[in-house]
Amino acid sequence: AVEKKVAKGKVGEKVGLPCCHEIPSTESLRNYRVYWQKNITEVALAYAEGKPMLSSKRFENRTQLNERNLTLWISPVEILDSGPYQCIVQHLRVLQNSVVPIVVCDEPVTLYVTADFSEPSVTAEVISSSCELDEVMLRCSSHGGFPKPQISGVLNNRAVVWNATWVSESSNSPYNVTANMQLNLTEDTNLTCSVEYNGFAKSTSLLLKKRKDCVLPAVAPSYNVVIASSIIIIIFLLAITLAARFLPRH
């Protein structure tokens, strides 16, 4: 099986796509035709007999060719540059007084472009609270990255699943991701949210603290207690009244 060639780069950086042929030191680029194509229909860079040919407008002033190993350099790389490329090399030979192009190699290479996501933002909103637990809505969000990410969470070293949504204008546009999770918090808990994309990851941790200043509500006295207390107060008032009337006579 032929090993598939892969190149990786980040938005704004310089990336090189390897070709399938290297020109011997005894020859020069003038003896070759080199075509770098994207998706077969779009010419990223082309040379014929040592001279550059017309290329796609989108690649203008962003591509260079190594004249020895025929590597295609793209700078600065963009998200739209992602996809399959093909390096086609023809050797120009003179046969019977005419120049005949002979295909030396024709191999594909795939470019994967990555755009960094922002550091995840993690927030916690208390929905309801009691002495036993706090009901908390957790949210983790990140934006501006590519390709479509995976989002994961860890609560006190235990993996948890987020309810995630992704937003992007197209399959070749940056992604924004937002994830929610509802949690019954019974103790101090450490939460980590991670956004993973194309072998890279961004993580943020947040310490969730259980409310400590819990005050039990006062228990209302029972009906019998209220009646008994009222009778005692009435008797006490009657006694004071009778005493006030009796004492002046004596």
Side-chain angles (χ1 to χ4, degrees):
V2 178
E3 183 180 356
K4 292 183 178 180
K5 291 185 177 180
V6 170
K8 295 182 179 181
K10 284 190 175 182
V11 169
E13 297 181 352
K14 186 176 183 178
V15 62
L17 280 64
C19 188
C20 49
H21 183 73
E22 184 170 341
I23 297 177
S25 58
T26 56
E27 294 187 296
S28 71
L29 190 59
R30 291 191 299 270
N31 303 118
Y32 290 84
R33 289 178 184 170
V34 181
Y35 301 93
W36 270 104
Q37 298 178 162
K38 182 178 186 292
N39 294 326
I40 301 178
T41 57
E42 191 175 15
V43 179
L45 187 65
Y47 272 77
E49 300 177 1
K51 297 179 181 180
M53 302 170 62
L54 290 176
S55 60
S56 171
K57 189 173 183 180
R58 196 173 65 79
F59 286 97
E60 283 183 2
N61 303 319
R62 292 199 304 122
T63 55
Q64 291 179 330
L65 183 71
N66 183 298
E67 297 187 5
R68 188 58 57 188
N69 61 23
L70 307 181
T71 296
L72 172 67
W73 290 98
I74 305 175
S75 177
V77 72
E78 303 172 353
I79 290 178
L80 287 176
D81 296 332
S82 298
Y85 289 75
Q86 206 157 13
C87 181
I88 303 171
V89 182
Q90 297 175 345
H91 192 195
L92 303 178
R93 296 181 183 178
V94 179
L95 298 176
Q96 298 178 352
N97 298 324
S98 62
V99 178
V100 179
I102 299 175
V103 176
V104 177
C105 72
D106 178 356
E107 287 186 9
V109 56
T110 302
L111 173 60
Y112 294 98
V113 178
T114 300
D116 282 333
F117 279 84
S118 64
E119 293 290 338
S121 172
V122 183
T123 60
E125 179 185 356
V126 177
I127 301 174
S128 63
S129 183
S130 66
C131 289
E132 291 76 22
L133 59 85
D134 293 335
E135 191 175 357
V136 181
M137 178 60 72
L138 305 174
R139 172 168 292 183
C140 178
S141 60
S142 182
H143 63 272
F146 187 87
K148 184 178 179 179
Q150 297 292 327
I151 190 164
S152 59
V154 176
L155 281 172
N156 286 349
N157 299 318
R158 179 175 56 88
V160 290
V161 179
W162 292 91
N163 181 20
T165 57
W166 297 265
V167 177
S168 178
E169 293 181 0
S170 69
S171 59
N172 285 319
S173 297
Y175 284 87
N176 297 335
V177 58
T178 301
N180 297 295
M181 177 172 52
Q182 194 166 319
L183 173 69
N184 290 330
L185 189 66
T186 58
E187 60 181 357
D188 290 353
T189 302
N190 189 61
L191 167 69
T192 299
C193 177
S194 299
V195 178
E196 302 168 6
Y197 53 103
N198 205 20
F200 299 93
K202 292 286 185 73
S203 299
T204 298
S205 296
L206 178 67
L207 179 60
L208 306 172
K209 291 189 174 183
K210 175 70 176 68
R211 194 170 62 122
K212 303 297 183 182
D213 57 342
C214 181
V215 179
L216 292 174
V219 179
S222 65
Y223 177 76
N224 292 334
V225 173
V226 172
I227 295 298
S229 300
S230 300
I231 293 174
I232 293 173
I233 292 172
I234 293 171
I235 294 174
F236 178 73
L237 293 175
L238 288 174
I240 292 176
T241 303
L242 292 174
R245 291 181 178 180
F246 177 78
L247 287 175
R249 296 177 183 178
H250 300 279

